[in-house]
Amino acid sequence: FREDWLEGIDVWLRTDHGNIPIQIKSSVTGARAFRKHRPSRIKVVIVHVGDSPAVIRQKLWEAVKGTIWERSKGHQPAIIDSA
């Protein structure tokens, strides 16, 4: 856990093609600052207080779909759940 925290990982999104590290931010400014100093393998999702679960799922999908597609090698990717 501590190593994840030090790297800036808030949550691991578990998929059928492996786990993807996620950083949750509340602003574009915070997301830009994080991306400037962290590895690109950690995906950043901006979540606002009023976002519905459906909106958050869509934001997660947009952030990780490229990684999932690369790992799936053309198979239909799917999100399992978050850990």
Side-chain angles (χ1 to χ4, degrees):
F1 171 74
R2 183 161 167 73
E3 290 176 20
D4 288 351
W5 181 78
L6 290 174
E7 283 189 65
I9 300 168
D10 288 330
V11 66
W12 286 91
L13 186 69
R14 295 186 338 195
T15 75
D16 54 351
H17 296 286
N19 298 336
I20 301 172
I22 306 288
Q23 168 65 213
I24 307 295
K25 291 294 183 190
S26 61
S27 71
V28 172
T29 302
R32 283 187 190 135
F34 180 84
R35 286 184 184 121
K36 185 176 179 179
H37 300 288
R38 299 283 197 228
S40 63
R41 71 177 186 87
I42 302 172
K43 303 304 177 188
V44 179
V45 177
I46 301 169
V47 177
H48 302 288
V49 174
D51 286 350
S52 69
V55 168
I56 294 169
R57 277 191 300 275
Q58 183 62 36
K59 289 179 178 184
L60 282 167
W61 174 246
E62 292 299 322
V64 303
K65 68 183 177 183
T67 300
I68 293 173
W69 185 254
E70 288 171 14
R71 292 180 183 180
S72 71
K73 300 196 186 335
H75 296 98
Q76 182 64 34
I79 294 174
I80 297 172
D81 63 14
S82 60

